[in-house]
Amino acid sequence: MIRHCVFLRLAPKADSAELDKVMLGLGDVVRRIPGCSGFRAGPNRDYESKSPDYPYGFTLDASDAEALATYAVDPEHKELGARLVALCEGGADGILVFDIDAV
């Protein structure tokens, strides 16, 4: 299983209503792609004070690399991703991704 973790360095003036719409859309994409599940999104509470530059994030689980690749090339995912890039400070550079090969 691959846990896809995405951390967002949101722009100071990022529209929270737009962020909510993008997250709802991504959740819908995950639910319809075979092998993808477990979409979760929310604010980073940063209890250890290690990631203050990334105030928001989301995760999803993919059964394997093929399922994650299907998610990555999905047209709706790409459209939502472009909207997400627009919300981040530095555009795409404001998005940090970890794909953890979870056992």
Side-chain angles (χ1 to χ4, degrees):
M1 192 249 330
I2 299 167
R3 179 149 295 158
H4 181 66
C5 307
V6 180
F7 307 99
L8 308 173
R9 187 173 61 227
L10 296 171
K13 295 183 181 184
D15 182 344
S16 62
E18 173 68 356
L19 179 63
D20 289 345
K21 289 176 189 173
V22 171
M23 291 301 117
L24 287 171
L26 289 173
D28 289 343
V29 170
V30 168
R31 281 187 286 282
R32 72 172 166 71
I33 293 181
C36 289
S37 64
F39 182 85
R40 298 286 185 269
N44 174 14
R45 297 298 181 213
D46 193 24
Y47 295 118
E48 296 182 33
S49 300
K50 301 224 181 234
S51 54
D53 293 337
Y54 295 89
Y56 199 90
F58 67 90
T59 64
L60 66 94
D61 295 334
S63 58
D64 53 30
E66 184 179 339
L68 188 58
T70 300
Y71 167 78
V73 299
D74 179 83
E76 186 177 2
H77 166 257
K78 286 184 167 189
E79 185 271 327
L80 291 163
R83 289 167 57 189
L84 195 58
V85 165
L87 292 169
C88 290
E89 187 174 348
D93 289 339
I95 300 175
L96 179 64
V97 177
F98 286 86
D99 289 318
I100 298 170
D101 193 359
V103 291

